[in-house]
Amino acid sequence: MHTVVVGTSGVTASDVLAVARGGARIELSEEAVAALAAARGIVDALAAKPEPVYGVSTGFGALATRHISPELRAQLQRNIVRSHAAGMGPRVEREVVRALMFLRLKTVCSGHTGVRPEVAQTMADVLNAGIVPVVHEYGSLGCSGDLAPLSHCALTLMGEGDAEGPDGVVRPAGELLAEHGIAPVELREKEGLALLNGTDGMLGMLVMALADLETLYKSADVTAALSLEALLGTDKVLAPELHAIRPHPGQGASAANMLAVLKGSELTGHHQDDAPRVQDAYSVRCAPQVAGAGRDTLAHARTVAERELASAVDNPVVLRDGRVESNGNFHGAPVAYVLDFLAIAAADLGSIAERRTDRLLDKNRSHGLPPFLADDAGVDSGLMIAQYTQAALVSEMKRLAVPASADSIPSSAMQEDHVSMGWSAARKLRTAVDNLTRIVAIELYAATRAIELRTGLVPAPASQAVIDAVRAAGVQGPGPDRFLSPDLAAADAFVRGGHVVAAVEPVTGPLA
């Protein structure tokens, strides 16, 4: 099994995916253990002094004015975890919780949090055992960290609350720790706070969304090319010299992908035949501009994710010169904004894909295709309601594109008077990515059927490779009406698994 070694820095998006989705094991480097011990020594020295230090010998948030005596500090750390584990609603997905815990461990190992090495090792042991804390949908405002989600994770480290075992069964966390020989941690000064104060949940979901969207944008380029081909459109608008004079990188990449897919097609270039048209509709002609703008948004979001992966987010933090200083680095605004940007771009990509599907089904705009791509229109409804489903998904994506980060609800007696709502932005982005996958799948389903109905003209070799692969995957081709939902589910699985890209790249070479 793949192993990820966590040091004081250098965790990558690939590491997050390996742990969250691939079940990779985690080891702490000697450098990380040394940094943990050094920072802990600083915290212990401050704890022994009579002067109050926030998070070490004081209360938290609006209660930070109270100095906590030494005999109450362990109780203080336990209490913050218990009281902050106040999430409600459905359980969060296993991969999200694993990413959340791993990223918190990454920051702990930076040596800026003051957590003891044994606490970090316990975090690694819990992940390696396949124990996943029960974390709920609601409870984070994206400021002071993803407090409630991280608190539920910390509760598991203490042997309290519920967790899911490697068998998928939810049980008391204490029982699961005991079965795997893991001793519950007894938190000391600052440790409870350090386990809660991070943007780890929203960052983990951003990293996973970026991975999914990278493949999905390539798939969308392919389906757009198939639709152009099925509509007898022109590929001249994809010429590199046209995109060079508006040099947005994403636009050029999308146009190049579409052009590569269409190479050798006998279906393109017939826009001047029976029903002459000077130009294709925007949804066809402007596909690279829309998908390309989304790709550039992805690039910006990836830069933010990389910066956040290189960050140590906690409050207060232990500095190398021995100071322990308060800060506001736990505010989720940088991550929240790009999560919202991605939801907007995804909604627009879904919208333009739906418009192409609708055009394929309309006999007045499809240039010779049968109504709704039906076998016997009137007796058969064809893909009429598949487009309804696609439209419903697009409508929801538009609602999901409303930014969460534009909202703020003050909390903690106005101490935390401006919050990011980044966790909420991440949660709705996950739904948006899920829906976009279905939208692309429906366009794929319609476009492949439409190409097969264009008898007498040979599609591009790459297009034929996609058609062959999708049929082999159980997605049926043209014919009389049948129970449609299984076909759409098979198309969804085909897109979701990255098989669109896998089908074309042996013909086109690697897509951009």
Side-chain angles (χ1 to χ4, degrees):
M1 183 180 290
H2 180 60
T3 298
V4 172
V5 178
V6 182
T8 58
S9 62
V11 164
T12 66
S14 296
D15 293 333
V16 177
L17 295 170
V19 172
R21 292 178 166 173
R25 291 187 58 79
I26 299 162
E27 293 180 2
L28 308 185
S29 71
E30 292 182 5
E31 172 198 28
V33 173
L36 284 159
R40 185 64 208 180
I42 293 170
V43 170
D44 286 340
L46 289 172
K49 292 184 177 181
E51 298 84 11
V53 178
Y54 176 70
V56 177
S57 53
T58 71
F60 309 114
L63 303 176
T65 55
R66 178 176 171 183
H67 182 254
I68 308 299
S69 59
E71 65 273 12
L72 294 176
R73 291 176 188 169
Q75 181 181 341
L76 171 71
Q77 300 301 320
R78 287 194 302 271
N79 285 352
I80 190 176
V81 172
R82 290 168 176 164
S83 66
H84 286 40
M88 293 184 72
R91 283 179 56 198
V92 172
E93 302 86 355
R94 183 181 181 92
E95 67 177 16
V96 172
V97 181
R98 284 185 61 84
L100 173 75
M101 289 189 69
F102 173 68
L103 288 168
R104 194 69 223 143
L105 176 60
K106 177 269 298 182
T107 285
V108 164
C109 287
S110 70
H112 288 292
T113 68
V115 169
R116 288 169 295 151
E118 51 265 44
V119 175
Q121 186 59 58
T122 301
M123 296 172 75
D125 291 343
V126 167
L127 282 164
N128 289 340
I131 298 170
V132 178
V134 170
V135 173
H136 299 279
E137 181 86 16
Y138 303 106
S140 173
L141 300 182
C143 204
S144 291
D146 290 316
L147 284 173
L150 283 163
S151 297
H152 283 275
C153 294
L155 201 64
T156 293
L157 299 178
M158 292 165 50
E160 300 180 19
D162 293 326
E164 180 186 293
D167 58 359
V169 177
V170 174
R171 296 167 51 198
E175 291 182 11
L176 287 167
L177 294 185
E179 282 185 7
H180 289 85
I182 301 171
V185 297
E186 296 182 8
L187 299 176
R188 289 171 47 179
E189 291 93 344
K190 195 183 178 304
E191 289 180 334
L193 186 62
L195 294 177
L196 317 185
N197 236 329
T199 55
D200 310 290
M202 62 185 95
L203 175 58
M205 287 185 274
L206 173 59
V207 168
M208 288 185 281
L210 287 169
D212 294 338
L213 286 169
E214 182 176 0
T215 299
L216 203 47
Y217 267 82
K218 293 178 183 179
S219 301
D221 289 341
V222 175
T223 59
L226 294 175
S227 291
L228 183 153
E229 196 171 18
L231 290 166
L232 305 179
T234 176
D235 59 359
K236 290 183 178 180
V237 296
L238 304 173
E241 58 270 24
L242 294 177
H243 297 277
I245 61 175
R246 194 191 191 195
H248 293 286
Q251 177 180 323
S254 284
N257 285 346
M258 291 180 66
L259 200 58
V261 172
L262 294 169
K263 184 178 181 181
S265 174
E266 293 182 5
L267 289 162
T268 58
H270 294 275
H271 57 292
Q272 298 281 359
D273 289 356
D274 297 333
R277 58 194 191 278
V278 176
Q279 301 175 114
D280 291 315
Y282 283 9
S283 61
V284 178
R285 185 172 16 129
C286 302
Q289 284 76 8
V290 172
R295 284 168 164 271
D296 291 342
T297 302
L298 280 177
H300 171 60
R302 192 173 293 111
T303 296
V304 172
E306 289 168 355
R307 290 170 181 164
E308 198 73 359
L309 284 168
S311 302
V313 178
D314 193 16
N315 180 51
V317 291
V318 181
L319 298 176
R320 300 298 186 213
D321 60 10
R323 288 179 294 147
V324 175
E325 298 284 0
S326 293
N327 67 88
N329 284 341
F330 48 72
H331 199 290
V335 183
Y337 291 167
V338 294
L339 289 163
D340 280 333
F341 296 164
L342 291 174
I344 292 169
D348 201 32
L349 185 62
S351 181
I352 197 171
E354 183 275 330
R355 289 293 80 205
R356 289 190 294 265
T357 302
D358 183 67
R359 185 165 289 272
L360 288 166
L361 306 189
D362 184 353
K363 70 181 182 65
N364 296 312
R365 295 180 290 144
S366 66
H367 310 290
L369 290 169
F372 303 104
L373 306 181
D375 186 63
D376 184 3
V379 175
D380 293 312
S381 294
L383 305 191
M384 179 190 294
I385 308 304
Q387 185 267 330
Y388 284 30
T389 299
Q390 195 182 39
L393 290 162
V394 170
S395 182
E396 184 182 23
M397 288 194 68
K398 291 175 181 178
R399 294 191 296 273
L400 293 168
V402 176
S405 58
D407 187 27
S408 175
I409 298 180
S411 56
S412 192
M414 292 299 286
Q415 176 70 8
E416 298 167 10
D417 59 352
H418 183 82
V419 297
S420 79
M421 304 306 297
W423 172 273
S424 299
R427 295 306 296 165
K428 68 184 183 65
L429 178 60
R430 281 183 71 83
T431 303
V433 172
D434 207 31
N435 285 351
L436 180 59
T437 306
R438 297 185 178 104
I439 290 166
V440 172
I442 292 172
E443 184 183 13
L444 173 71
Y445 187 56
T448 53
R449 178 186 281 219
I451 289 173
E452 287 181 307
L453 290 171
R454 294 286 191 192
T455 56
L457 293 171
V458 179
S463 302
Q464 190 62 56
V466 175
I467 294 170
D468 292 344
V470 81
R471 298 290 173 258
V475 182
Q476 298 183 57
D481 280 357
R482 55 182 174 267
F483 180 23
L484 203 56
S485 188
D487 271 4
L488 298 181
D492 174 58
F494 190 79
V495 174
R496 200 172 295 274
H499 302 301
V500 174
V501 178
V504 301
E505 286 193 330
V507 180
T508 62
L511 296 180

